[in-house]
Amino acid sequence: MMTIHELSEISGVTARALRHYDSIGLLKPTAVSEAGYRLYDETALERLQQILLFRELEFPLREIKAILESPGFDKNRALEQQITLLELKKEHIENLILFAKGIKLLGVKYMDFKAFDTGNIDRYAKEARELYSNTPEYREFLEKSKDWTPERDRAMEARIMGIFARFGEIRDKSPQSPEAVALARELQGFITENFYACSDKVLMGLGKMYSGGGEFTENIDRAGGPGTAEFAARAIAAATGLS
């Protein structure tokens, strides 16, 4: 575990920004010490890296949160996009260096302004944004959450974690039990009402994400106890009949 100041030092993100990320539900601390200090583990560090990748693509924080919590989010695809964008920026910087050297050698009459053209970068960033923003779930979530306050964000998080806590209370039962299936349907209804239309297919995708390791699994298991995320995923599979 590392403190917020240690995370700030290794990431270059200010402690103030990290506290803001916490307040809007974008990057929650893994735990809070008895003295009230935010603590972060490697899973939180991985999520911060993903956040910073999207910041390089100039996504607003609210959209980054929607993307990272979307059932269709693909970390590998996001990384590929980031590599391409950095390569384009590298090329742009190299062109600027050559331009500056040209001015030094030829003087101010060196009037070629092509080095300042960021068209390729801008076009790629736009395409990357459209890849995520074209999903109906993404657009619906942004519309429903556009007026949310940080307090509303925290309230929604507490309510959904309350559902997972109830999954934890029955995780010694069969995931095909009526109680487990009913709770999976309740989760589906909650997501549909407050975030986006959660079809059986989308719910199944969420279930796989919940049990796939990383931050989602850790948070759910923290709410309901070890194995809760896996149990919830199996209950979702039983409710939807999908695999």
Coordinates of all heavy atoms in Angstrom, one line a residue, residues 12 29 57 78 87 98 100 122 131 182 193 197 213 218 225:
G12 N 3.4 11.6 -10.7 CA 3.4 13.0 -11.2 C 2.0 13.7 -11.1 O 1.9 14.8 -11.5
P29 N -9.5 5.4 -3.2 CA -8.4 4.7 -2.5 C -8.8 3.2 -2.2 O -10.0 2.9 -2.0 CB -8.3 5.5 -1.2 CG -9.6 6.2 -1.0 CD -10.1 6.4 -2.4
L57 N -5.4 11.5 -24.4 CA -6.3 11.6 -25.5 C -7.3 12.7 -25.3 O -8.2 12.9 -26.1 CB -7.1 10.2 -25.7 CG -6.3 9.1 -26.2 CD1 -7.1 7.8 -26.1 CD2 -5.8 9.3 -27.7
A78 N -7.2 0.1 -25.6 CA -6.8 1.5 -25.1 C -5.3 1.7 -25.1 O -4.8 2.8 -25.5 CB -7.4 1.7 -23.7
E87 N 3.4 7.9 -30.5 CA 4.2 7.9 -31.7 C 3.9 9.1 -32.6 O 4.9 9.7 -33.2 CB 4.0 6.6 -32.5 CG 4.6 5.4 -31.8 CD 4.2 4.1 -32.5 OE1 3.2 4.1 -33.4 OE2 4.9 3.1 -32.3
L98 N 13.5 19.9 -35.6 CA 14.1 20.2 -36.9 C 13.8 21.7 -37.4 O 14.6 22.4 -37.9 CB 13.6 19.2 -38.0 CG 14.1 17.8 -37.9 CD1 13.4 16.9 -38.9 CD2 15.6 17.8 -38.0
A100 N 13.1 24.2 -35.4 CA 13.9 25.1 -34.6 C 15.4 25.2 -35.0 O 16.0 26.3 -35.1 CB 13.8 24.7 -33.1
D122 N -4.8 15.3 -33.9 CA -6.2 15.7 -33.6 C -7.1 14.7 -34.2 O -8.1 14.3 -33.6 CB -6.5 17.1 -34.2 CG -5.6 18.1 -33.5 OD1 -5.2 17.9 -32.3 OD2 -5.4 19.2 -34.0
L131 N -14.8 6.0 -30.9 CA -14.9 4.5 -30.7 C -15.7 4.2 -29.5 O -16.4 3.3 -29.4 CB -13.4 4.0 -30.6 CG -13.4 2.5 -30.3 CD1 -13.9 1.6 -31.4 CD2 -11.9 2.1 -30.0
A182 N -32.7 -13.6 -8.1 CA -33.5 -12.4 -7.8 C -32.6 -11.2 -7.6 O -32.9 -10.0 -8.0 CB -34.4 -12.6 -6.7
E193 N -32.1 1.7 -14.3 CA -32.8 2.9 -13.8 C -31.8 4.1 -13.6 O -32.2 5.2 -13.9 CB -33.4 2.6 -12.4 CG -34.1 3.8 -11.8 CD -34.7 3.5 -10.5 OE1 -34.7 2.3 -10.0 OE2 -35.2 4.5 -9.8
A197 N -29.5 1.3 -20.1 CA -30.3 0.1 -20.4 C -29.4 -1.1 -20.3 O -28.5 -1.3 -21.1 CB -30.9 0.2 -21.7
G213 N -11.0 -10.0 -11.9 CA -9.8 -9.5 -11.2 C -9.7 -8.0 -11.3 O -10.4 -7.3 -12.0
E218 N -11.9 -6.6 -6.5 CA -11.4 -6.2 -5.1 C -12.5 -5.4 -4.4 O -12.8 -5.7 -3.2 CB -10.1 -5.4 -5.2 CG -8.9 -6.2 -5.6 CD -7.6 -5.4 -5.5 OE1 -7.7 -4.3 -5.1 OE2 -6.6 -6.0 -5.9
G225 N -17.3 -9.7 1.0 CA -16.4 -10.8 1.5 C -15.8 -11.5 0.4 O -16.2 -11.4 -0.8

